[in-house]
Amino acid sequence: MNSIKYMSNYGSFKKRIIFAFVEYFLSCTMWLLIDQYLTYSVFDNAIAKNSAKTLVFVAILVIVKQIFKTTEGIFHCMVRHHLQREYANHARKDLFSKFINTKISYFDNANTGEMLELVMNDTGNASTFFTQNGLISFGNLCVKLPLLLIILLFINFKLTSILIIIYLIGYLSLIISNKKTFKLISEIRDLNILITKWITEQVNNFELIKSINIEDVRLNKMNELLEKYTIESENLDKLIRKYNFSYTLFSFLASITTTCIGGYDLSASILSYGTLMLFINGTTSIKGYCDDLVMHLPRLNESFISMKKIYNYLKSYDPEIEKGELELKEIKKINFNNVSFSYDNAREILSNILIDVEKNDKIAIVGRTGCGKTTLVNLLCKFYEVTKGDILINGKNINEYTLKSLRNNIGYVMQDVVMFDGNIYDNINYAKKDISENQIQDICKRLKLHDKIMSFSEGYDLNLSKNQDLFSLGEKQMINFARIMVEDPSVIILDEITSSLSYENEELVKNAVKEITKNKICFIIAHRLTTIKNCNKIIYMENGSILESGSHEELINKKGAYYDLVRG
């Protein structure tokens, strides 16, 4: 219920929902009363009294009613589809906004399949509530059915009471069956998430799968997942068929009982022809409403499950909290004062880190895998909060600055280069800075990338997402560097940028590093000696602590852990 309430929070969307339900309630009331009046007029006035005048009047009224009802049906269809589109768009924007603004720690253990399912499939499934399958079936159950039963109770209490008892028994059996259906649909959804996640992993690691020749193993695993999905789907179909059959029996029993008892009362002059026909029509309508609900119940269950999943995520959403108010113009000095950090408050990843960084310093952070190098620079970007100690920027606590101004002053270049959809201009100016195409070309010239780009007929208009193979890994990294130069931050972080490059590409990147780090503070995380030996300070980390620090020559002469790393 909370999930339905939540979707009404979308501003004007809430008003449209209220309007749709009020309009639907009023129209249902009007058409039900008119239908009862027409039935009674035909059988108890026109036919019983042989009144041609009444019959002609009723015929005209039926035609007029049908015209208005058709027009209203078209209007309802437009409203439903508008609500469906608006809900799906609002939900996707809301979810994506939460993904973008959530704490980065959420993505450490995030399920890719779950995220894709939420944004794409769940929003689509939830929005189907507003189609004829959902909104009309739900409206029939909540509006038309109660109204029709009230009218029938006033006409003949006994017959209506019998009808209600039979359908209540059928409804209770439906509720019991639907709990199992709801559970099965949830399990199928979770299985679909697993399949989506698994396929995504295979696509992302396609080269690895090919290189170690495990295509058959991956295909067998896929077949296992699909087989399990098929079995669960078949079990759901069997359950749906069972409750469809049982509910059909109750509907048939209600129709037969009403007709038999009504026929007996008619022969005993207790009922008139018009009253009996009202009941037969009413029973047929009730059966139609219930049959429609039962037929669309699996789809409604999917909608409600998706709404619940969306609501639960948005409810548990953990946003980045903006603590600072100061705008950071430039980073001139950084101090790590006894900084410690733990992801789970159980095991320390960093312990008592002390680092002082001045403007133009080039700091290399080295150590074996898992020693905390990347975690250290992630704290500077405020991807995580320090557990103990302080990070000072220009003498002030890092929390005093706004997140946006802090991150605008930090350029983070990672090992994996991401090429976005669009041409080279779009990729380089991905942050949408106020910079001209000529300025972008000047940057590429400084990085020795301009000639390569101009060798293509499209030049800077070349679509990168479709032509990535035209660039080496080193050249792609140059595009990444160009992005950083466009942003012009005061701190550069280079995280293992040469670890997967060939010698030629490494030389290309090494020369570009000198260009992008001019007059800037730079943190370099690397293993290769050629990348770090010219840094004015090298920090060797082990098990989350700083074991040694100094220049390359100082640490080599010390013949400690850094010396062993270089020589080993």
Side-chain angles (χ1 to χ4, degrees), residues 496-538:
E496 299 284 12
I497 59 170
T498 61
S499 61
S500 59
L501 299 182
S502 64
Y503 174 77
E504 293 80 6
N505 281 323
E506 184 182 357
E507 285 299 307
L508 180 68
V509 170
K510 190 171 67 174
N511 293 328
V513 167
K514 295 177 183 178
E515 185 67 39
I516 70 168
T517 58
K518 282 179 182 177
N519 304 317
K520 298 183 187 299
I521 294 172
C522 182
F523 291 88
I524 300 176
I525 299 172
H527 288 98
R528 294 187 180 181
L529 179 63
T530 53
T531 313
I532 61 176
K533 68 178 182 179
N534 293 324
C535 293
N536 59 296
K537 184 185 287 186
I538 297 173

Side-chain angles (χ1 to χ4, degrees), residues 26-291:
L26 293 175
S27 67
C28 287
T29 305
M30 180 180 70
W31 296 127
L32 280 172
L33 291 173
I34 289 175
D35 285 341
Q36 305 313 310
Y37 170 76
L38 290 175
T39 303
Y40 183 79
S41 297
V42 168
F43 285 95
D44 277 6
N45 289 330
I47 295 176
K49 297 178 182 179
N50 198 22
S51 174
K53 186 177 179 181
T54 303
L55 198 60
V56 171
F57 173 74
V58 169
I60 294 171
L61 198 59
V62 168
I63 293 170
V64 173
K65 184 204 84 166
Q66 200 57 44
I67 292 171
F68 278 103
K69 202 166 185 179
T70 302
T71 306
E72 186 195 36
I74 295 171
F75 173 74
H76 279 164
C77 185
M78 291 170 59
V79 170
R80 289 196 307 271
H81 282 91
H82 183 77
L83 289 173
Q84 181 186 8
R85 288 192 301 271
E86 191 169 359
Y87 173 79
N89 288 338
H90 274 302
R92 282 175 182 147
K93 287 177 185 176
D94 215 352
L95 284 167
F96 190 71
S97 173
K98 298 298 186 290
F99 287 152
I100 289 294
N101 294 302
T102 197
K103 288 182 178 178
I104 201 167
S105 56
Y106 169 80
F107 297 97
D108 291 340
N109 300 304
N111 185 327
T112 307
E114 177 77 29
M115 293 170 68
L116 289 172
E117 187 76 11
L118 274 170
V119 175
M120 300 308 299
N121 294 340
D122 280 334
T123 50
N125 287 338
S127 68
T128 58
F129 174 78
F130 300 101
T131 63
Q132 186 163 355
N133 296 349
L135 196 61
I136 296 298
S137 298
F138 198 70
N140 288 342
L141 181 68
C142 298
V143 179
K144 280 189 176 181
L145 185 59
L147 283 173
L148 186 55
L149 288 174
I150 290 169
I151 293 170
L152 294 180
L153 278 170
F154 276 106
I155 295 172
N156 191 299
F157 185 82
K158 182 182 74 172
L159 272 178
T160 308
S161 299
I162 293 169
L163 200 64
I164 291 172
I165 291 170
I166 293 171
Y167 272 104
L168 273 177
I169 296 171
Y171 181 68
L172 290 173
S173 69
L174 180 64
I175 289 175
I176 295 169
S177 298
N178 193 52
K179 285 183 179 179
K180 297 178 182 178
T181 307
F182 202 85
K183 183 182 177 183
L184 266 177
I185 292 174
S186 294
E187 290 174 358
I188 290 172
R189 178 192 179 274
D190 292 339
L191 191 56
N192 192 54
I193 289 171
L194 182 62
I195 291 171
T196 303
K197 178 188 177 186
W198 193 85
I199 291 174
T200 303
E201 288 174 354
Q202 308 320 300
V203 172
N204 291 339
N205 298 287
F206 181 73
E207 290 182 358
L208 175 62
I209 292 169
K210 284 284 186 184
S211 66
I212 58 178
N213 197 28
I214 57 169
E215 294 96 325
D216 291 340
V217 177
R218 299 289 84 188
L219 282 171
N220 289 336
K221 176 65 176 176
M222 186 65 185
N223 289 335
E224 286 176 17
L225 290 171
L226 292 175
E227 182 66 23
K228 190 175 180 181
Y229 184 87
T230 302
I231 291 170
E232 292 290 327
S233 298
E234 287 176 353
N235 290 337
L236 177 62
D237 289 340
K238 288 176 185 176
L239 189 59
I240 290 171
R241 286 197 296 270
K242 282 180 183 177
Y243 73 63
N244 274 341
F245 177 74
S246 62
Y247 204 81
T248 301
L249 282 178
F250 282 106
S251 296
F252 178 73
L253 181 61
S255 299
I256 290 295
T257 303
T258 306
T259 303
C260 291
I261 295 174
Y264 176 80
D265 287 349
L266 178 65
S267 63
S269 300
I270 298 173
L271 288 179
S272 66
Y273 281 106
T275 305
L276 179 60
M277 289 309 300
L278 280 176
F279 259 91
I280 292 173
N281 286 345
T283 305
T284 303
S285 296
I286 291 172
K287 182 180 181 300
Y289 302 154
C290 294
D291 288 350

Side-chain angles (χ1 to χ4, degrees), residues 308-343:
K308 185 178 179 181
K309 292 290 183 180
I310 293 169
Y311 172 75
N312 286 342
Y313 170 75
L314 294 174
K315 183 182 176 184
S316 61
Y317 155 66
D318 191 12
E320 286 189 312
I321 299 172
E322 182 67 84
K323 296 179 181 179
E325 295 180 356
L326 297 178
E327 290 293 323
L328 182 59
K329 302 299 181 183
E330 182 185 4
I331 297 177
K332 299 177 180 178
K333 185 178 180 182
I334 302 170
N335 304 100
F336 287 80
N337 292 338
N338 292 310
V339 170
S340 297
F341 174 74
S342 171
Y343 287 105

Side-chain angles (χ1 to χ4, degrees), residues 545-557:
S545 299
I546 297 176
L547 197 62
E548 297 176 353
S549 67
S551 67
H552 173 71
E553 290 76 14
E554 289 171 347
L555 296 180
I556 289 294
N557 292 333

Side-chain angles (χ1 to χ4, degrees), residues 422-426 437 453-454 456-464 467:
N423 60 30
I424 295 175
Y425 281 125
D426 295 333
E437 292 184 358
I453 294 172
M454 294 309 295
F456 305 114
S457 58
E458 300 95 330
Y460 284 82
D461 291 319
L462 179 74
N463 190 302
L464 265 183
N467 297 281

Side-chain angles (χ1 to χ4, degrees), residues 2-20:
N2 286 330
S3 53
I4 297 177
K5 189 187 295 184
Y6 178 81
M7 69 183 177
S8 66
N9 292 333
Y10 293 128
S12 61
F13 186 70
K14 179 178 180 179
K15 295 177 183 178
R16 290 191 179 95
I17 292 176
I18 294 171
F19 170 78

